[in-house]
Tab-separated table of all heavy atoms in Angstrom:
chain	number	residue	atom	x	y	z
A	1658	TYR	N	118.727	102.581	49.229
A	1658	TYR	CA	117.355	102.133	48.986
A	1658	TYR	C	116.864	101.119	50.020
A	1658	TYR	O	115.665	100.849	50.111
A	1658	TYR	CB	117.235	101.515	47.592
A	1658	TYR	CG	117.117	102.542	46.495
A	1658	TYR	CD1	118.175	102.777	45.626
A	1658	TYR	CD2	115.951	103.280	46.322
A	1658	TYR	CE1	118.079	103.725	44.607
A	1658	TYR	CE2	115.836	104.233	45.312
A	1658	TYR	CZ	116.905	104.446	44.453
A	1658	TYR	OH	116.804	105.383	43.445
A	1659	GLN	N	117.803	100.529	50.758
A	1659	GLN	CA	117.442	99.492	51.729
A	1659	GLN	C	116.658	98.356	51.065
A	1659	GLN	O	115.682	97.831	51.609
A	1659	GLN	CB	116.644	100.094	52.889
A	1659	GLN	CG	117.455	101.021	53.778
A	1659	GLN	CD	118.599	100.281	54.488
A	1659	GLN	OE1	118.369	99.411	55.329
A	1659	GLN	NE2	119.834	100.633	54.150
A	1660	GLU	N	117.100	97.990	49.873
A	1660	GLU	CA	116.548	96.867	49.124
A	1660	GLU	C	117.702	96.101	48.505
A	1660	GLU	O	118.775	96.662	48.256
A	1660	GLU	CB	115.619	97.332	48.007
A	1660	GLU	CG	114.325	97.965	48.438
A	1660	GLU	CD	113.444	98.288	47.239
A	1660	GLU	OE1	113.073	97.349	46.495
A	1660	GLU	OE2	113.144	99.482	47.030
A	1661	SER	N	117.455	94.838	48.217
A	1661	SER	CA	118.485	94.052	47.547
A	1661	SER	C	118.615	94.497	46.098
A	1661	SER	O	117.667	95.034	45.498
A	1661	SER	CB	118.136	92.561	47.580
A	1661	SER	OG	117.048	92.280	46.699
A	1662	ILE	N	119.768	94.266	45.516
A	1662	ILE	CA	119.985	94.627	44.119
A	1662	ILE	C	119.002	93.899	43.214
A	1662	ILE	O	118.438	94.487	42.277
A	1662	ILE	CB	121.438	94.313	43.701
A	1662	ILE	CG1	122.390	95.336	44.333
A	1662	ILE	CG2	121.585	94.337	42.181
A	1662	ILE	CD1	122.157	96.780	43.912
A	1663	GLU	N	118.754	92.619	43.469
A	1663	GLU	CA	117.828	91.878	42.621
A	1663	GLU	C	116.432	92.492	42.662
A	1663	GLU	O	115.773	92.638	41.635
A	1663	GLU	CB	117.773	90.398	43.003
A	1663	GLU	CG	116.899	89.582	42.071
A	1663	GLU	CD	117.439	88.191	41.783
A	1663	GLU	OE1	118.275	87.708	42.559
A	1663	GLU	OE2	117.019	87.597	40.779
A	1664	ASP	N	115.976	92.903	43.850
A	1664	ASP	CA	114.666	93.546	43.958
A	1664	ASP	C	114.659	94.895	43.245
A	1664	ASP	O	113.655	95.278	42.632
A	1664	ASP	CB	114.273	93.715	45.415
A	1664	ASP	CG	113.833	92.411	46.066
A	1664	ASP	OD1	113.526	91.454	45.320
A	1664	ASP	OD2	113.821	92.341	47.306
A	1665	LEU	N	115.756	95.613	43.321
A	1665	LEU	CA	115.847	96.898	42.623
A	1665	LEU	C	115.797	96.706	41.113
A	1665	LEU	O	115.120	97.455	40.398
A	1665	LEU	CB	117.130	97.629	43.022
A	1665	LEU	CG	117.152	98.213	44.439
A	1665	LEU	CD1	118.558	98.677	44.801
A	1665	LEU	CD2	116.158	99.365	44.566
A	1666	PHE	N	116.521	95.703	40.619
A	1666	PHE	CA	116.459	95.393	39.190
A	1666	PHE	C	115.030	95.026	38.777
A	1666	PHE	O	114.517	95.490	37.753
A	1666	PHE	CB	117.393	94.229	38.848
A	1666	PHE	CG	118.848	94.603	38.699
A	1666	PHE	CD1	119.839	93.668	38.994
A	1666	PHE	CD2	119.232	95.841	38.243
A	1666	PHE	CE1	121.180	93.991	38.832
A	1666	PHE	CE2	120.577	96.180	38.083
A	1666	PHE	CZ	121.552	95.248	38.381
A	1667	LYS	N	114.397	94.175	39.555
A	1667	LYS	CA	113.039	93.742	39.236
A	1667	LYS	C	112.087	94.932	39.175
A	1667	LYS	O	111.330	95.102	38.216
A	1667	LYS	CB	112.540	92.740	40.283
A	1667	LYS	CG	113.124	91.349	40.179
A	1667	LYS	CD	112.544	90.459	41.273
A	1667	LYS	CE	113.137	89.059	41.226
A	1667	LYS	NZ	112.620	88.204	42.333
A	1668	GLY	N	112.103	95.735	40.230
A	1668	GLY	CA	111.157	96.836	40.320
A	1668	GLY	C	111.406	97.958	39.336
A	1668	GLY	O	110.464	98.650	38.931
A	1669	SER	N	112.658	98.132	38.920
A	1669	SER	CA	112.994	99.262	38.054
A	1669	SER	C	113.031	98.910	36.577
A	1669	SER	O	112.732	99.749	35.728
A	1669	SER	CB	114.359	99.844	38.457
A	1669	SER	OG	114.320	100.352	39.770
A	1670	ILE	N	113.417	97.676	36.251
A	1670	ILE	CA	113.652	97.323	34.842
A	1670	ILE	C	112.885	96.081	34.420
A	1670	ILE	O	112.092	96.114	33.481
A	1670	ILE	CB	115.164	97.101	34.571
A	1670	ILE	CG1	115.987	98.315	34.992
A	1670	ILE	CG2	115.395	96.793	33.093
A	1670	ILE	CD1	117.487	98.100	34.923
A	1671	TRP	N	113.090	94.972	35.096
A	1671	TRP	CA	112.645	93.681	34.582
A	1671	TRP	C	111.125	93.547	34.521
A	1671	TRP	O	110.569	93.174	33.482
A	1671	TRP	CB	113.240	92.549	35.412
A	1671	TRP	CG	114.736	92.543	35.438
A	1671	TRP	CD1	115.586	93.174	34.570
A	1671	TRP	CD2	115.556	91.873	36.398
A	1671	TRP	NE1	116.897	92.940	34.930
A	1671	TRP	CE2	116.908	92.153	36.044
A	1671	TRP	CE3	115.299	91.077	37.506
A	1671	TRP	CZ2	117.985	91.646	36.774
A	1671	TRP	CZ3	116.364	90.573	38.242
A	1671	TRP	CH2	117.692	90.854	37.868
A	1672	GLU	N	110.435	93.851	35.613
A	1672	GLU	CA	108.987	93.666	35.634
A	1672	GLU	C	108.291	94.619	34.669
A	1672	GLU	O	107.351	94.223	33.965
A	1672	GLU	CB	108.459	93.849	37.057
A	1672	GLU	CG	108.877	92.720	38.000
A	1672	GLU	CD	108.378	92.926	39.413
A	1672	GLU	OE1	107.904	94.048	39.720
A	1672	GLU	OE2	108.474	91.968	40.221
A	1673	ALA	N	108.736	95.846	34.611
A	1673	ALA	CA	108.104	96.836	33.735
A	1673	ALA	C	108.240	96.471	32.266
A	1673	ALA	O	107.412	96.859	31.442
A	1673	ALA	CB	108.720	98.219	33.985
A	1674	ASN	N	109.283	95.717	31.934
A	1674	ASN	CA	109.526	95.348	30.546
A	1674	ASN	C	109.245	93.866	30.265
A	1674	ASN	O	109.624	93.352	29.221
A	1674	ASN	CB	110.967	95.689	30.176
A	1674	ASN	CG	111.212	97.178	30.173
A	1674	ASN	OD1	110.809	97.884	29.262
A	1674	ASN	ND2	111.877	97.670	31.218
A	1675	GLU	N	108.558	93.229	31.224
A	1675	GLU	CA	108.180	91.822	31.093
A	1675	GLU	C	109.377	90.932	30.770
A	1675	GLU	O	109.284	89.988	29.987
A	1675	GLU	CB	107.078	91.658	30.033
A	1675	GLU	CG	105.809	92.411	30.382
A	1675	GLU	CD	104.703	92.221	29.360
A	1675	GLU	OE1	104.991	91.712	28.255
A	1675	GLU	OE2	103.551	92.585	29.664
A	1676	MET	N	110.502	91.252	31.398
A	1676	MET	CA	111.703	90.438	31.255
A	1676	MET	C	111.635	89.328	32.304
A	1676	MET	O	112.345	89.325	33.301
A	1676	MET	CB	112.954	91.318	31.414
A	1676	MET	CG	113.086	92.369	30.313
A	1676	MET	SD	114.373	93.624	30.619
A	1676	MET	CE	115.854	92.606	30.623
A	1677	ASP	N	110.741	88.374	32.044
A	1677	ASP	CA	110.420	87.345	33.035
A	1677	ASP	C	111.513	86.298	33.204
A	1677	ASP	O	111.467	85.501	34.146
A	1677	ASP	CB	109.111	86.653	32.650
A	1677	ASP	CG	107.935	87.620	32.590
A	1677	ASP	OD1	107.926	88.589	33.379
A	1677	ASP	OD2	107.034	87.410	31.753
A	1678	ASN	N	112.453	86.251	32.282
A	1678	ASN	CA	113.544	85.280	32.363
A	1678	ASN	C	114.886	85.974	32.584
A	1678	ASN	O	115.913	85.532	32.077
A	1678	ASN	CB	113.581	84.427	31.095
A	1678	ASN	CG	112.495	83.374	31.093
A	1678	ASN	OD1	112.462	82.510	31.963
A	1678	ASN	ND2	111.589	83.460	30.144
A	1679	THR	N	114.851	87.054	33.346
A	1679	THR	CA	116.070	87.773	33.703
A	1679	THR	C	116.178	87.786	35.218
A	1679	THR	O	115.207	88.085	35.918
A	1679	THR	CB	116.044	89.209	33.155
A	1679	THR	OG1	115.869	89.167	31.735
A	1679	THR	CG2	117.339	89.934	33.471
A	1680	CYS	N	117.350	87.431	35.738
A	1680	CYS	CA	117.491	87.288	37.182
A	1680	CYS	C	118.964	87.263	37.572
A	1680	CYS	O	119.850	87.216	36.728
A	1680	CYS	CB	116.826	85.985	37.638
A	1680	CYS	SG	117.568	84.508	36.887
A	1681	ILE	N	119.187	87.293	38.867
A	1681	ILE	CA	120.503	86.996	39.433
A	1681	ILE	C	120.483	85.570	39.974
A	1681	ILE	O	121.309	84.744	39.620
A	1681	ILE	CB	120.890	88.005	40.538
A	1681	ILE	CG1	121.097	89.403	39.939
A	1681	ILE	CG2	122.170	87.541	41.253
A	1681	ILE	CD1	121.339	90.488	40.968
A	1682	GLN	N	119.486	85.278	40.810
A	1682	GLN	CA	119.323	83.931	41.351
A	1682	GLN	C	118.318	83.166	40.493
A	1682	GLN	O	117.164	83.562	40.364
A	1682	GLN	CB	118.841	84.002	42.799
A	1682	GLN	CG	119.836	84.648	43.747
A	1682	GLN	CD	121.133	83.880	43.849
A	1682	GLN	OE1	121.138	82.649	43.811
A	1682	GLN	NE2	122.237	84.590	43.998
A	1683	LEU	N	118.761	82.074	39.912
A	1683	LEU	CA	117.906	81.261	39.057
A	1683	LEU	C	116.911	80.451	39.884
A	1683	LEU	O	117.255	79.952	40.958
A	1683	LEU	CB	118.755	80.292	38.234
A	1683	LEU	CG	119.749	80.898	37.246
A	1683	LEU	CD1	120.825	79.874	36.910
A	1683	LEU	CD2	119.048	81.373	35.983
A	1684	ASN	N	115.686	80.310	39.375
A	1684	ASN	CA	114.782	79.355	40.000
A	1684	ASN	C	115.060	77.962	39.441
A	1684	ASN	O	115.879	77.803	38.531
A	1684	ASN	CB	113.314	79.764	39.810
A	1684	ASN	CG	112.883	79.813	38.349
A	1684	ASN	OD1	113.343	79.012	37.532
A	1684	ASN	ND2	111.998	80.752	38.024
A	1685	THR	N	114.395	76.964	39.968
A	1685	THR	CA	114.685	75.583	39.581
A	1685	THR	C	114.492	75.368	38.091
A	1685	THR	O	115.297	74.688	37.431
A	1685	THR	CB	113.784	74.610	40.367
A	1685	THR	OG1	114.002	74.805	41.767
A	1685	THR	CG2	114.106	73.173	40.010
A	1686	GLN	N	113.429	75.929	37.535
A	1686	GLN	CA	113.147	75.735	36.113
A	1686	GLN	C	114.178	76.435	35.246
A	1686	GLN	O	114.612	75.920	34.213
A	1686	GLN	CB	111.730	76.247	35.806
A	1686	GLN	CG	111.160	75.789	34.478
A	1686	GLN	CD	111.548	76.702	33.330
A	1686	GLN	OE1	111.901	77.850	33.514
A	1686	GLN	NE2	111.482	76.160	32.124
A	1687	GLN	N	114.603	77.618	35.660
A	1687	GLN	CA	115.610	78.364	34.891
A	1687	GLN	C	116.969	77.671	34.916
A	1687	GLN	O	117.717	77.729	33.945
A	1687	GLN	CB	115.734	79.789	35.440
A	1687	GLN	CG	114.525	80.663	35.132
A	1687	GLN	CD	114.536	81.965	35.916
A	1687	GLN	OE1	115.115	82.047	37.004
A	1687	GLN	NE2	113.907	82.978	35.369
A	1688	GLU	N	117.280	77.016	36.029
A	1688	GLU	CA	118.555	76.305	36.131
A	1688	GLU	C	118.705	75.257	35.041
A	1688	GLU	O	119.792	75.029	34.526
A	1688	GLU	CB	118.684	75.652	37.507
A	1688	GLU	CG	118.981	76.635	38.626
A	1688	GLU	CD	119.092	75.952	39.967
A	1688	GLU	OE1	118.766	74.734	40.044
A	1688	GLU	OE2	119.489	76.616	40.944
A	1689	THR	N	117.598	74.637	34.671
A	1689	THR	CA	117.654	73.595	33.637
A	1689	THR	C	117.906	74.189	32.258
A	1689	THR	O	118.301	73.470	31.337
A	1689	THR	CB	116.347	72.787	33.605
A	1689	THR	OG1	115.258	73.626	33.188
A	1689	THR	CG2	116.031	72.204	34.966
A	1690	ARG	N	117.677	75.481	32.108
A	1690	ARG	CA	117.848	76.139	30.809
A	1690	ARG	C	119.133	76.958	30.706
A	1690	ARG	O	119.396	77.564	29.673
A	1690	ARG	CB	116.641	77.041	30.517
A	1690	ARG	CG	115.349	76.274	30.340
A	1690	ARG	CD	114.217	77.163	29.844
A	1690	ARG	NE	113.634	77.966	30.903
A	1690	ARG	CZ	113.576	79.288	30.902
A	1690	ARG	NH1	114.115	79.983	29.926
A	1690	ARG	NH2	112.990	79.942	31.895
A	1691	LEU	N	119.905	77.004	31.794
A	1691	LEU	CA	121.153	77.764	31.769
A	1691	LEU	C	122.204	77.020	30.951
A	1691	LEU	O	122.539	75.866	31.236
A	1691	LEU	CB	121.673	77.981	33.197
A	1691	LEU	CG	122.975	78.778	33.330
A	1691	LEU	CD1	122.823	80.187	32.752
A	1691	LEU	CD2	123.403	78.851	34.797
A	1692	ALA	N	122.689	77.674	29.912
A	1692	ALA	CA	123.656	77.039	29.017
A	1692	ALA	C	124.954	76.718	29.746
A	1692	ALA	O	125.391	77.452	30.631
A	1692	ALA	CB	123.943	77.963	27.834
A	1693	LYS	N	125.568	75.609	29.362
A	1693	LYS	CA	126.927	75.316	29.787
A	1693	LYS	C	127.868	76.132	28.909
A	1693	LYS	O	127.626	76.312	27.720
A	1693	LYS	CB	127.234	73.833	29.638
A	1693	LYS	CG	126.382	72.922	30.507
A	1693	LYS	CD	126.677	71.456	30.209
A	1693	LYS	CE	125.778	70.541	31.011
A	1693	LYS	NZ	125.991	69.114	30.672
A	1694	GLY	N	128.938	76.610	29.515
A	1694	GLY	CA	129.909	77.391	28.760
A	1694	GLY	C	131.268	76.722	28.761
A	1694	GLY	O	131.593	75.958	29.685
A	1695	TYR	N	132.071	77.039	27.731
A	1695	TYR	CA	133.353	76.360	27.570
A	1695	TYR	C	134.487	77.360	27.353
A	1695	TYR	O	134.344	78.341	26.625
A	1695	TYR	CB	133.271	75.389	26.389
A	1695	TYR	CG	132.283	74.269	26.620
A	1695	TYR	CD1	130.930	74.434	26.318
A	1695	TYR	CD2	132.692	73.064	27.195
A	1695	TYR	CE1	130.021	73.420	26.553
A	1695	TYR	CE2	131.781	72.043	27.435
A	1695	TYR	CZ	130.452	72.223	27.109
A	1695	TYR	OH	129.542	71.223	27.356
A	1696	TRP	N	135.601	77.072	27.987
A	1696	TRP	CA	136.799	77.906	27.907
A	1696	TRP	C	137.818	77.241	26.978
A	1696	TRP	O	138.077	76.042	27.105
A	1696	TRP	CB	137.391	78.076	29.306
A	1696	TRP	CG	138.729	78.748	29.387
A	1696	TRP	CD1	139.934	78.146	29.576
A	1696	TRP	CD2	138.988	80.149	29.312
A	1696	TRP	NE1	140.938	79.074	29.623
A	1696	TRP	CE2	140.386	80.324	29.457
A	1696	TRP	CE3	138.192	81.277	29.130
A	1696	TRP	CZ2	140.991	81.579	29.422
A	1696	TRP	CZ3	138.797	82.516	29.101
A	1696	TRP	CH2	140.179	82.659	29.243
A	1697	LEU	N	138.386	78.022	26.053
A	1697	LEU	CA	139.355	77.496	25.099
A	1697	LEU	C	138.786	76.255	24.412
A	1697	LEU	O	137.656	76.271	23.926
A	1697	LEU	CB	140.682	77.208	25.794
A	1697	LEU	CG	141.428	78.423	26.388
A	1697	LEU	CD1	142.663	77.955	27.144
A	1697	LEU	CD2	141.809	79.421	25.301
A	1698	ASP	N	139.562	75.166	24.391
A	1698	ASP	CA	139.066	73.925	23.784
A	1698	ASP	C	138.739	72.875	24.840
A	1698	ASP	O	138.741	71.673	24.572
A	1698	ASP	CB	140.099	73.377	22.794
A	1698	ASP	CG	141.438	73.062	23.453
A	1698	ASP	OD1	141.614	73.384	24.658
A	1698	ASP	OD2	142.330	72.516	22.782
A	1699	ASN	N	138.446	73.325	26.058
A	1699	ASN	CA	138.114	72.390	27.138
A	1699	ASN	C	136.872	71.574	26.800
A	1699	ASN	O	135.878	72.108	26.300
A	1699	ASN	CB	137.850	73.153	28.442
A	1699	ASN	CG	139.116	73.704	29.061
A	1699	ASN	OD1	140.214	73.451	28.578
A	1699	ASN	ND2	138.971	74.478	30.122
A	1700	ASP	N	136.918	70.293	27.103
A	1700	ASP	CA	135.746	69.436	26.955
A	1700	ASP	C	134.818	69.566	28.151
A	1700	ASP	O	133.608	69.345	28.050
A	1700	ASP	CB	136.167	67.972	26.803
A	1700	ASP	CG	136.918	67.714	25.503
A	1700	ASP	OD1	136.599	68.382	24.504
A	1700	ASP	OD2	137.821	66.856	25.499
A	1701	THR	N	135.386	69.917	29.290
A	1701	THR	CA	134.603	70.061	30.519
A	1701	THR	C	134.026	71.467	30.607
A	1701	THR	O	134.747	72.446	30.407
A	1701	THR	CB	135.488	69.807	31.751
A	1701	THR	OG1	136.067	68.500	31.656
A	1701	THR	CG2	134.673	69.924	33.032
A	1702	PRO	N	132.726	71.609	30.897
A	1702	PRO	CA	132.127	72.949	31.011
A	1702	PRO	C	132.767	73.761	32.125
A	1702	PRO	O	133.209	73.211	33.144
A	1702	PRO	CB	130.654	72.656	31.325
A	1702	PRO	CG	130.428	71.250	30.897
A	1702	PRO	CD	131.731	70.538	31.102
A	1703	SER	N	132.810	75.062	31.936
A	1703	SER	CA	133.304	75.961	32.976
A	1703	SER	C	132.271	76.089	34.090
A	1703	SER	O	131.059	76.043	33.830
A	1703	SER	CB	133.570	77.350	32.394
A	1703	SER	OG	134.538	77.311	31.377
A	1704	PRO	N	132.704	76.252	35.334
A	1704	PRO	CA	131.741	76.502	36.414
A	1704	PRO	C	131.006	77.811	36.155
A	1704	PRO	O	131.587	78.775	35.647
A	1704	PRO	CB	132.627	76.616	37.662
A	1704	PRO	CG	133.928	75.974	37.288
A	1704	PRO	CD	134.094	76.214	35.824
A	1705	HIS	N	129.734	77.849	36.481
A	1705	HIS	CA	128.999	79.103	36.362
A	1705	HIS	C	129.447	80.071	37.452
A	1705	HIS	O	129.871	79.652	38.534
A	1705	HIS	CB	127.493	78.849	36.474
A	1705	HIS	CG	126.929	78.137	35.284
A	1705	HIS	ND1	126.293	76.921	35.375
A	1705	HIS	CD2	126.923	78.460	33.967
A	1705	HIS	CE1	125.899	76.534	34.182
A	1705	HIS	NE2	126.284	77.438	33.306
A	1706	PHE	N	129.338	81.352	37.170
A	1706	PHE	CA	129.754	82.364	38.135
A	1706	PHE	C	128.686	82.522	39.213
A	1706	PHE	O	127.499	82.673	38.907
A	1706	PHE	CB	129.976	83.701	37.438
A	1706	PHE	CG	131.327	83.821	36.788
A	1706	PHE	CD1	132.129	82.711	36.582
A	1706	PHE	CD2	131.814	85.054	36.381
A	1706	PHE	CE1	133.377	82.819	35.993
A	1706	PHE	CE2	133.051	85.171	35.779
A	1706	PHE	CZ	133.834	84.061	35.595
A	1707	GLU	N	129.106	82.519	40.461
A	1707	GLU	CA	128.204	82.692	41.599
A	1707	GLU	C	128.855	83.651	42.582
A	1707	GLU	O	129.483	83.246	43.550
A	1707	GLU	CB	127.903	81.344	42.269
A	1707	GLU	CG	127.166	80.342	41.386
A	1707	GLU	CD	125.770	80.788	41.007
A	1707	GLU	OE1	125.212	81.671	41.705
A	1707	GLU	OE2	125.233	80.265	40.019
A	1708	SER	N	128.706	84.934	42.347
A	1708	SER	CA	129.353	85.944	43.170
A	1708	SER	C	128.732	86.005	44.564
A	1708	SER	O	127.509	85.897	44.730
A	1708	SER	CB	129.235	87.312	42.501
A	1708	SER	OG	129.734	88.330	43.349
A	1709	ASN	N	129.575	86.185	45.557
A	1709	ASN	CA	129.115	86.411	46.920
A	1709	ASN	C	129.071	87.895	47.248
A	1709	ASN	O	128.850	88.272	48.403
A	1709	ASN	CB	130.038	85.697	47.913
A	1709	ASN	CG	129.958	84.191	47.800
A	1709	ASN	OD1	128.882	83.640	47.657
A	1709	ASN	ND2	131.100	83.534	47.844
A	1710	LEU	N	129.294	88.745	46.237
A	1710	LEU	CA	129.237	90.189	46.446
A	1710	LEU	C	127.850	90.691	46.041
A	1710	LEU	O	126.863	90.056	46.327
A	1710	LEU	CB	130.373	90.856	45.669
A	1710	LEU	CG	131.790	90.388	46.069
A	1710	LEU	CD1	132.852	91.112	45.249
A	1710	LEU	CD2	132.042	90.581	47.556
A	1711	TRP	N	127.774	91.824	45.339
A	1711	TRP	CA	126.466	92.422	45.053
A	1711	TRP	C	125.947	92.064	43.660
A	1711	TRP	O	124.823	92.367	43.322
A	1711	TRP	CB	126.544	93.940	45.230
A	1711	TRP	CG	126.793	94.296	46.657
A	1711	TRP	CD1	125.854	94.530	47.617
A	1711	TRP	CD2	128.059	94.391	47.305
A	1711	TRP	NE1	126.452	94.768	48.832
A	1711	TRP	CE2	127.812	94.696	48.669
A	1711	TRP	CE3	129.386	94.269	46.891
A	1711	TRP	CZ2	128.831	94.869	49.589
A	1711	TRP	CZ3	130.398	94.438	47.806
A	1711	TRP	CH2	130.136	94.735	49.145
A	1712	SER	N	126.767	91.444	42.847
A	1712	SER	CA	126.380	91.009	41.499
A	1712	SER	C	126.038	92.172	40.577
A	1712	SER	O	125.357	91.992	39.567
A	1712	SER	CB	125.187	90.032	41.558
A	1712	SER	OG	125.553	88.859	42.252
A	1713	THR	N	126.507	93.360	40.887
A	1713	THR	CA	126.250	94.520	40.036
A	1713	THR	C	127.312	94.685	38.951
A	1713	THR	O	127.149	95.498	38.040
A	1713	THR	CB	126.203	95.812	40.877
A	1713	THR	OG1	127.231	95.769	41.888
A	1713	THR	CG2	124.855	95.953	41.549
Side-chain angles (χ1 to χ4, degrees):
Y1658 280 108
Q1659 292 297 294
E1660 292 184 60
S1661 72
I1662 287 298
E1663 184 143 19
D1664 285 343
L1665 288 169
F1666 280 151
K1667 285 180 182 177
S1669 297
I1670 305 173
W1671 301 342
E1672 290 179 348
N1674 293 284
E1675 299 182 347
M1676 296 169 63
D1677 300 327
N1678 283 299
T1679 303
C1680 61
I1681 293 174
Q1682 296 297 324
L1683 297 159
N1684 62 35
T1685 302
Q1686 195 273 339
Q1687 289 168 333
E1688 286 180 351
T1689 66
R1690 294 189 281 122
L1691 181 60
K1693 297 175 183 176
Y1695 296 86
W1696 172 258
L1697 296 175
D1698 60 353
N1699 287 355
D1700 293 327
T1701 303
S1703 299
H1705 290 121
F1706 278 14
E1707 297 295 340
S1708 174
N1709 293 318
L1710 301 180
W1711 294 270
S1712 297
T1713 40

